[in-house]
Amino acid sequence: MTGHDGVPGASHDGVPGASRDSVPGASGEATGGRLVLLGNAIVDLVMRVPALPERGGDIISRDTTLTTGGGFNVLTAARRLGLPAVYAGAHGTGPFGDRVRADLAREGIEVPLPPLTEEDTGFCVAFVDGGGERTFATSLGAEARLSEAHATAVLAALRPGDLVQISGYGLAYPVNGPVLASLVARLPEHTRVFLDPGPLADQIPEEVLEPVLARCDWVSCNQREGRLLTGRDDAREAAAALAARLGPRTGVLLRADADGCWLVPPGGEPAHIPGRQVTAVDSNGAGDAHTGAFLALLGHGLDLSGAVRGANAAAAFAVTRHGPATGPTAGELLDFLDGEPLAARLSSALGR
């Protein structure tokens, strides 16, 4: 079975249009920036079941865990590969908010915004079936109460070279969406912007989504999300249509399950990138592991080829572990590559 969504791996020569000068973060020099998440860190109640029950039915969970998830997965994936990370989302007061903050602190992730006092952080029930696929139901909390005052504080906290990651979940929330769209439009030019539209891609209002897409340097999505954004079922066609919609300054990563990934570099043509073969036990958070690793490796100054292939390996590693926040450390990633030529490139970029 392949890693989650057939995450990509490619040689630089196999990526049409992927010149190092045209790719943000591909100069070979470290940016010195941080990953700043404009998303939501919530609590996941993960239930592993043989299969989803029929409508009106019931099923016994084989294993149930309570863990921090959501945008936390992206942050930890980047942080474990040595990129400083900041959770710039809202968070609440109560047992779930306390747990989220404790886990962020454990991973060394900065939290610049104070907690909201009137509401706890929300949670998500994640069903992971026998094939490793996951299905969600989410209850919103303080993370969905982002304010203009929060946006002003985030803008003031940004530093040159920061990588700003935006979650489609937040864009779909009635309160957060307009605030985030306005914030993104005001981001300084020195920041690079990355969007993961997420499963709610078709529920994001156009007036919220369009200004975000206009500012993005990269959009990463799976095949279902690509279809929601373009109306195209074919993975290559969806990647090409999304790239055309975004324009020549924005890159696209479209993951396509066992078929691998379609990569469209900024100003380039779609290239099919085969996935890495692994035995998946839990795909929950694997897409986030891919995104976090991709951003971390770009942040370390790695070229596009190395960043995509390294992200592919990180996501493949993640699906072989149970839990949503299973992105590898630098040591785990290098051990996973086990002497492959990519390992030397990653080792140099990560200072190992």
Side-chain angles (χ1 to χ4, degrees), residues 8-12 15-28 194 218 251-253 263-266 268 294 297-298 301-311 342 345:
S11 66
H12 186 63
V15 181
S19 69
R20 289 170 62 88
D21 293 337
S22 69
V23 179
S27 65
F194 302 78
W218 281 93
V252 172
L253 287 170
L263 168 65
V264 188
F294 178 69
L297 296 173
L298 285 185
L302 201 64
D303 62 275
L304 178 58
S305 166
V308 173
R309 294 173 63 211
L342 176 61
R345 296 170 63 192

Side-chain angles (χ1 to χ4, degrees), residues 6 10 28 59 90 168 170 189 202 206 214 229 250 261 273 315 320 339 342:
I59 197 163
E189 283 299 316
D202 60 338
E206 285 296 313
L229 290 170
T250 305
C261 173
I273 314 301
T320 66
L342 176 61

Side-chain angles (χ1 to χ4, degrees), residues 71-307:
F72 176 75
N73 303 332
V74 176
L75 292 167
T76 57
R79 188 71 189 94
R80 290 171 186 175
L81 293 179
L83 187 69
V86 179
Y87 173 59
H91 48 107
T93 302
F96 289 161
D98 291 345
R99 185 184 186 102
V100 167
R101 282 185 294 275
D103 286 343
L104 289 167
R106 186 193 70 241
E107 295 286 341
I109 297 166
E110 182 183 349
V111 182
L113 299 179
L116 296 175
T117 58
E118 66 274 14
E119 189 170 4
D120 199 1
T121 291
F123 66 94
C124 171
V125 179
F127 298 97
V128 182
D129 66 25
E133 187 54 87
R134 70 278 187 275
T135 304
F136 304 112
T138 302
S139 176
L140 303 183
E143 77 287 346
R145 304 291 184 188
L146 201 68
S147 69
E148 181 57 35
H150 290 143
T152 300
V154 170
L155 286 168
L158 291 175
R159 301 175 187 171
D162 279 346
L163 315 175
V164 176
Q165 168 72 7
I166 303 164
S167 164
Y169 280 107
L171 297 179
Y173 295 165
V175 173
N176 288 21
V179 174
L180 287 171
S182 174
L183 191 164
V184 169
R186 290 177 283 162
L187 288 173
E189 283 299 316
H190 63 68
T191 59
R192 285 171 289 161
V193 182
F194 302 78
L195 171 67
D196 180 351
L200 302 181
D202 60 338
Q203 299 181 39
I204 303 172
E206 285 296 313
E207 63 271 20
V208 170
L209 182 61
E210 288 305 322
V212 175
L213 292 179
R215 180 61 177 83
C216 281
D217 294 283
W218 281 93
V219 173
S220 179
C221 62
N222 63 28
Q223 190 167 356
R224 174 185 176 273
E225 294 155 4
R227 182 174 68 251
L228 293 176
L229 290 170
T230 66
R232 307 293 181 89
D233 289 320
D234 179 78
R236 184 192 188 283
E237 292 179 2
L242 184 54
R245 177 179 178 180
L246 296 168
R249 68 178 296 274
T250 305
V252 172
L253 287 170
L254 191 147
R255 306 179 301 273
D257 297 321
D259 291 330
C261 173
W262 287 93
L263 168 65
V264 188
E269 297 295 324
H272 180 246
I273 314 301
R276 179 176 290 267
Q277 298 295 315
V278 297
T279 299
V281 299
D282 187 349
S283 66
N284 190 15
D288 292 334
H290 181 271
T291 296
F294 178 69
L295 296 177
L297 296 173
L298 285 185
H300 282 295
L302 201 64
D303 62 275
L304 178 58
S305 166

